[in-house]
Amino acid sequence: MHPGIKRDTPGICPICGMALEHAEAGLDDAPNPELVKLTRRLWVAGTLSVPLVTIAMITPMLGWRIADPTVSSWLQAALATPIVVWAGGPFLVRGWISVRTGHLNMFTLITLGVGAAFLFSVVALLAPSLFGTGMAGDHAAAPVYFEAAGVVITLVLVGQVLELRAQAATGQAIRALLKLAPKTAHKVGADGTDAEVALRDVRVGDRLRVRPGEAMPVDGVVRDGRSYVDEAMVTGEPEAILKTADAAVVGGTINGSGSLVVEARAIGAEALLARIVAMVGQAQRSRAPIQAVADRVSAWFVPLVVGTAVITFVVWLAVAPQPRLGHALLNAIAVLVIACPCALGLATPMAIMVGTGRGARAGVLIKNAEALQAFESVDTLVIDKTGTLTEGKPALVGTETVGGYDAEALLLLAASIEVQSEHPLASAIIAAAKRLHGFIPPVTDFASTPGQGVSGRTQAHQVSLGNAAQMQRLGIDLSPLAAAAAVHRAMGEGVVLVAVDGVLCGLLAVADPVRTSAKSAIRALHATGLRIVMLTGDDRTTADMVAKAVGHIEDVRADLLPADKARIIAELKSAGAKVAMAGDGVNDAPALAMADVGLAMGTGTDVAIESAGITLTGGDLFAIVRARRLAHATMRNIRQNLVFSFLFNGLGVPIAAGVLYPVTGLLLSPMLAGAAMAASSLTVVLNALRLQTVRL
């Protein structure tokens, strides 16, 4: 509940009093030590509570008398003392710490209520004459309330155990992710033979054979083989994906019927699976802004409840029928117990914990709860074109030259420069050059101008590649290829202009197909009320062609620099829009950071992922739809929890104080108040757990 509280050893949170949890999930299936401890105490408390309630309440109601009142009181004391002192000891210690530190919480109220009932009963048992017959009623012995103290502790234990079990269930989802990676791998030796090695002994660059049906041991790149791979654990999509040479694979995904040789690229904490687990854990410990509502209420809630209990005690002591002290004490205790704000404290963190875990299984990684809440209220989606709306895996489809320049030589020069570029179009140029020439010459003096192009020196030539803005910046005449470039752009192809030694020599036409899911995903997002804006560094003609193919894009901005994308988002926000930005490249990072919510396509760069609040691991645009549905479902769940918590306390406290007694004769015993308090926490937990099955 309070992620700012960190300790090196197990203990309790000084603010809410709950047990601290491990910051990082592990493979250990051992139950939570806190759950084991409280379960053991619950068994003892429950076993002793049955005879305690039988002696104190059931037999008198049936008119049976199993012992003298004084003997009965001593029997109740013998049964209640282990419950309160041993089983409820941790709660009483936490209550004392809350008073000592000034952080009043649910354990403050439990300690006051149980302590008052137990101590009063002890005094009444040892010195009944102090109360006199006027307060003791018609009996010679003063009344005792050991059963109230004992049963309240038992019910609090029930609530705590149920909450811890629910948290353990969410932790199982994270551990299931960790277990997807195998413990061993088949390392391919220099002679081509396989040797089974422990995963901890695998190093970056090692070649590993993945046999049919096995899980990928590491993140890597396919070097040999062909197979379909089930990536549902990271993408949320059930369809297997064909993997051939140079295709990236993710550790933990399941190989199909083919055999693959994979070169290890990321292992251990650097692997995507480990990063997913770390991100989910971080998100589950984060706080949504809506939590501030509960924090503000909690700040004055406990003192108000204590004041209400005192007023209840005084009023009942003054005007109640005999035994006045008994009525006053029981109603004050009932107020303290039923008002325990555990449901209020659980309302937000439980929903965030379950919701982020559910998102991880659907390929939606939430960096923090603030991003989840912000995405629910977004009304404008700004989306990058290349690698987001399009596949980001373009292919070279044409080469144009001027001045008699050789097309194959031009391609080789361009590929030499593009080797160090991160732009999606670079891969198409490099792949085409490798197929044609089989090698790529080295480059020196490489320089990149984001949003315009790249340059460098290779084969004794100064080569510049990029868009029209790049060439104009360098003072290069574009007219020899203006008409040809316009034709390619009209067909929706990207155009890379190439200048050698300051002279325009040709262009490379690259086609980047629109993602198959783009049209239906954008339609679904538009149907939710989102305004769709496309930003791209490509030219206007290409951008318009893509927008037309996708549909439902209301605003297209082209020929943009990275700074322009961030500026446009700032303008949209200043106009009152709540903006989410979806992108995948380094040039998208400023815009992702500027938006209210950044959505990084998981197929993109680490810089983009680090700049975003939500990462969509599969790169599929329907992941944005799933993220939107998850945000709506989680925030709706939080509001339901908060409304229930406020309503419960708003109705429960007056009833416990006895406001209905003059009309109905109804009083709420501390035991019923404890049961109601436990039921409120359980309701919030169960409601949050519904997020595990929400359809995304």
Side-chain angles (χ1 to χ4, degrees):
M1 296 185 191
H2 301 279
I5 303 300
K6 296 182 180 179
R7 298 287 188 273
D8 294 331
T9 57
I12 64 171
C13 172
I15 297 178
C16 68
M18 300 293 284
L20 296 176
E21 298 179 7
H22 285 288
E24 296 180 1
L27 281 172
D28 187 6
D29 271 332
N32 184 340
E34 178 76 1
L35 176 58
V36 173
K37 180 178 71 175
L38 292 186
T39 300
R40 186 184 304 119
R41 294 173 189 267
L42 174 58
W43 276 108
V44 172
T47 301
L48 295 176
S49 292
V50 173
L52 176 62
V53 172
T54 301
I55 295 172
M57 299 185 67
I58 297 178
T59 54
M61 289 173 58
L62 297 175
W64 300 344
R65 181 172 177 176
I66 64 172
D68 178 83
T70 302
V71 174
S72 175
S73 296
W74 279 102
L75 287 173
Q76 293 175 48
L79 293 167
T81 299
I83 299 176
V84 174
V85 176
W86 181 77
F91 303 150
L92 303 183
V93 170
R94 296 175 189 185
W96 165 246
I97 292 174
S98 72
V99 174
R100 190 184 67 198
T101 61
H103 293 296
L104 304 184
N105 53 46
M106 62 173 284
F107 297 105
T108 313
L109 300 181
I110 291 170
T111 299
L112 288 175
V114 171
F118 186 77
L119 293 176
F120 173 86
S121 300
V122 169
V123 174
L125 180 62
L126 298 177
S129 59
L130 291 177
F131 299 98
T133 57
M135 288 186 179
D138 297 330
H139 303 291
V144 293
Y145 305 103
F146 288 115
E147 85 284 356
V151 173
V152 166
I153 288 293
T154 302
L155 290 170
V156 172
L157 281 166
V158 170
Q160 292 289 293
V161 167
L162 289 174
E163 291 164 18
L164 288 170
R165 286 186 179 277
Q167 292 178 22
T170 62
Q172 288 287 350
I174 298 179
R175 285 192 291 275
L177 283 175
L178 285 171
K179 288 180 178 179
L180 290 173
K183 305 296 185 296
T184 61
H186 305 292
K187 184 176 179 180
V188 180
D191 59 356
T193 60
D194 297 352
E196 186 170 338
V197 297
L199 195 59
R200 63 177 176 273
D201 296 327
V202 174
R203 299 291 178 264
V204 173
D206 286 350
R207 294 202 171 199
L208 310 172
R209 191 177 307 280
V210 185
R211 297 168 181 171
E214 291 184 339
M216 298 292 167
V218 296
D219 292 3
V221 176
V222 175
R223 291 303 178 212
D224 186 37
R226 173 189 175 93
S227 182
Y228 282 89
V229 176
D230 181 357
E231 295 188 336
M233 49 79 67
V234 292
T235 66
E237 295 292 334
E239 293 85 1
I241 299 172
L242 178 63
K243 300 292 182 178
T244 56
D246 296 329
V249 293
V250 177
T253 56
I254 306 301
N255 186 26
S257 58
S259 178
L260 298 174
V261 174
V262 175
E263 180 181 319
R265 289 291 180 87
I267 56 179
E270 299 302 317
L272 179 61
L273 197 59
R275 291 165 62 193
I276 287 175
V277 171
M279 189 177 291
V280 172
Q282 175 186 334
Q284 290 182 338
R285 295 191 300 274
S286 65
R287 295 167 68 82
I290 197 171
Q291 176 72 22
V293 176
D295 291 343
R296 286 194 297 269
V297 172
S298 298
W300 52 260
F301 183 76
V302 174
L304 180 63
V305 170
V306 173
T308 302
V310 171
I311 294 172
T312 299
F313 181 85
V314 171
V315 171
W316 276 90
L317 192 61
V319 303
Q322 292 293 352
R324 289 177 180 172
L325 181 58
H327 282 120
L329 184 65
L330 289 179
N331 288 329
I333 292 171
V335 169
L336 292 171
V337 172
I338 202 169
C340 283
C342 45
L344 184 61
L346 288 169
T348 298
M350 276 302 299
I352 293 296
M353 177 179 290
V354 180
T356 51
R358 175 68 184 93
R361 299 202 311 273
V364 178
L365 299 184
I366 311 298
K367 181 178 288 187
N368 52 58
E370 183 178 0
L372 193 64
Q373 179 171 340
F375 194 41
E376 186 220 17
S377 60
V378 160
D379 54 31
T380 302
L381 174 63
V382 175
I383 193 163
D384 173 55
K385 178 183 76 67
T386 306
T388 306
L389 283 173
T390 62
E391 292 285 354
K393 298 177 182 177
L396 183 69
V397 295
T399 304
E400 304 268 359
T401 62
V402 292
Y405 208 92
D406 182 70
E408 293 184 2
L410 183 74
L411 175 61
L412 189 60
L413 289 174
S416 301
I417 309 302
E418 291 284 28
V419 163
Q420 296 192 30
S421 172
E422 64 85 32
H423 196 279
L425 298 184
S427 60
I429 296 172
I430 295 167
K434 282 184 176 179
R435 284 194 301 269
L436 186 64
H437 296 280
F439 72 100
I440 303 293
V443 62
T444 59
D445 301 329
F446 176 82
S448 175
T449 304
Q452 294 188 2
V454 292
S455 63
R457 192 164 187 82
T458 182
Q459 295 181 286
H461 295 288
Q462 181 66 30
V463 182
S464 298
L465 289 79
N467 55 20
Q470 169 89 329
M471 299 301 150
Q472 290 168 349
R473 182 178 62 83
L474 297 174
I476 296 173
D477 182 17
L478 299 175
S479 58
L481 284 172
V487 172
H488 285 288
R489 291 184 184 120
M491 294 187 293
E493 298 168 358
V495 173
V496 178
L497 300 169
V498 185
V500 180
D501 297 326
V503 178
L504 186 67
C505 293
L507 65 78
L508 304 174
V510 180
D512 185 13
V514 173
R515 289 183 183 272
T516 55
S517 63
K519 187 172 184 178
S520 53
I522 292 299
R523 182 173 63 246
L525 290 166
H526 187 268
T528 67
L530 285 176
R531 174 193 177 200
I532 313 295
V533 178
M534 185 177 81
L535 306 184
T536 179
D538 277 351
D539 59 272
R540 164 64 62 175
T541 303
T542 303
D544 286 340
M545 288 288 293
V546 172
K548 182 179 179 181
V550 173
H552 297 292
I553 296 179
E554 303 169 35
D555 191 354
V556 178
R557 314 282 182 97
D559 297 308
L560 299 176
L561 299 174
D564 293 329
K565 294 182 181 182
R567 174 183 53 78
I568 290 170
I569 289 177
E571 291 172 356
L572 291 170
K573 290 173 64 176
S574 64
K578 297 290 185 181
V579 183
M581 165 69 186
D584 74 325
V586 170
N587 59 342
D588 296 322
L592 289 168
M594 174 63 68
D596 293 296
V597 185
L599 305 169
M601 309 305 288
T603 52
T605 64
D606 288 346
V607 175
I609 292 172
E610 289 300 319
S611 302
I614 299 176
T615 298
L616 311 172
T617 58
D620 190 317
L621 283 172
F622 263 108
I624 302 179
V625 180
R626 292 195 292 270
R628 179 79 163 173
R629 290 171 180 167
L630 177 67
H632 280 298
T634 303
M635 296 311 301
R636 182 169 60 248
N637 193 280
I638 288 174
R639 293 189 184 98
Q640 291 168 351
N641 287 344
L642 288 174
V643 167
F644 175 80
S645 301
F646 289 136
L647 186 64
F648 174 83
N649 287 120
L651 295 176
V653 170
I655 293 174
V659 296
L660 298 180
Y661 183 76
V663 179
T664 65
L666 176 65
L667 287 176
L668 197 65
S669 73
M671 286 181 289
L672 289 177
M677 180 266 293
S680 69
S681 298
L682 181 60
T683 301
V684 166
V685 169
L686 292 177
N687 189 49
L689 289 176
R690 289 193 307 114
L691 288 170
Q692 290 184 336
T693 58
V694 68
R695 292 188 62 185
L696 300 180

